[in-house]
Amino acid sequence: MKDPNDVILRMVTKVVVVIILTFAVNLFVSGHHHPGGGFIGGLAFVAAIVLLFLVYGIEKVRQNFPVDFKALAGVGVLISVLTGARGMFVGEPFLTQAFGYVHLPLFGKTEMATAVLFDVGVALAVIGTSLTIIMSIGDDR
Amino acid sequence: MIKGILFWVIFLSLCFSTLSILITIYRCLKGPTASDRVQALDVLGINIIAAVAVFSVFLRTTAFFEVILLIGILSFIGTIAFARFIERGIVIERQHSD
């Protein structure tokens, strides 16, 4: 069977993946004051990677994005547990969150909380778990 | 909540949107081939986007705009996955030719 030519799909994907990744980051960082957060940000990231899997195949994406997703899920859970355990070292209960104001060069006075680190852990765990499921289902033949 | 003529405009918009969704569901149930059903699901996603937009105007909130973008993205990816399954019989290719 002749291999179909899907040049339109590839060119559209090159543009759309950038938009989806930008939207995923927007969902992630707006989770403190607006709808969003680590879970749905991670799932939007997974949607972009799945689109790349669909169009370019697993092998080519893994060559250009060589991350072990099982290890990524583990690192995410570790980050979440460690940010929760931070309160225990300074004499506060487990999962106590701290926040403060820092001066960033471009944004000015910005409120930073350790809940962002917890959300990073959640997002990494979601990305690793979802992509592990999808790759282990799509790999068998 | 919204009162006055804008309420009836939004109400009628939601009614016609529901009608459009029902007609699309009819095509999705009745469609002779798989391609008809996939196209009906894509149109269904777009109609749901429109309904969510009108309903967020009705509720006077901007909290559902992420939902609109997310339905668009998921509908696009789902349609591409179904199209590849119909065309090649496999969704994710293990080794690409070129």
Side-chain angles (χ1 to χ4, degrees), chain A:
Chain A
M1 177 180 168
K2 194 164 71 73
D3 197 26
N5 182 9
D6 44 18
V7 60
I8 294 176
L9 188 58
R10 289 174 179 228
M11 290 312 292
V12 167
T13 302
K14 280 180 190 171
V15 179
V16 164
V17 161
V18 178
I19 299 172
I20 298 175
L21 288 177
T22 311
F23 178 56
V25 174
N26 181 25
L27 273 178
F28 177 76
V29 298
S30 71
H32 201 80
H33 297 289
H34 298 290
F39 188 77
I40 191 66
L43 281 184
F45 188 86
V46 170
I49 303 296
V50 166
L51 183 60
L52 284 178
F53 278 168
L54 287 175
V55 176
Y56 290 100
I58 282 184
E59 303 285 329
K60 191 177 284 186
V61 177
R62 290 305 299 274
Q63 284 172 6
N64 294 310
F65 192 55
V67 177
D68 187 7
F69 292 109
K70 297 188 195 72
L72 195 68
V75 168
V77 174
L78 191 66
I79 288 173
S80 291
V81 172
L82 285 182
T83 56
R86 182 208 62 86
M88 296 170 68
F89 293 117
V90 296
E92 289 168 340
F94 185 60
L95 285 175
T96 302
Q97 305 289 336
F99 69 99
Y101 292 95
V102 294
H103 284 276
L104 294 178
L106 199 58
F107 299 103
K109 184 181 177 185
T110 310
E111 179 185 358
M112 299 289 282
T114 57
V116 176
L117 289 176
F118 187 79
D119 238 9
V120 167
V122 172
L124 288 182
V126 168
I127 290 169
T129 310
S130 309
L131 284 177
T132 303
I133 291 171
I134 288 168
M135 284 195 311
S136 40
I137 290 175
D139 255 352
D140 62 350
R141 180 177 277 197

Side-chain angles (χ1 to χ4, degrees), chain B residues 18-93:
Chain B
T18 309
L19 191 67
S20 169
I21 287 172
L22 286 177
I23 294 170
T24 311
I25 286 173
Y26 171 74
R27 173 53 64 198
C28 191
L29 292 175
K30 189 78 178 175
T33 65
S35 306
D36 289 331
R37 293 192 171 97
V38 172
Q39 274 195 345
L41 282 178
D42 200 12
V43 174
L44 191 66
I46 292 170
N47 279 323
I48 289 173
I49 288 174
V52 169
V54 175
F55 197 67
S56 67
V57 173
F58 178 67
L59 290 180
R60 285 182 180 274
T61 178
T62 59
F64 296 123
F65 288 175
E66 282 91 357
V67 176
I68 294 171
L69 275 169
L70 213 55
I71 293 173
I73 290 168
L74 292 181
S75 171
F76 176 67
I77 292 174
T79 307
I80 285 180
F82 273 121
R84 288 187 79 88
F85 182 70
I86 290 173
E87 189 182 50
R88 304 187 185 180
I90 186 168
V91 177
I92 298 176
E93 292 189 343

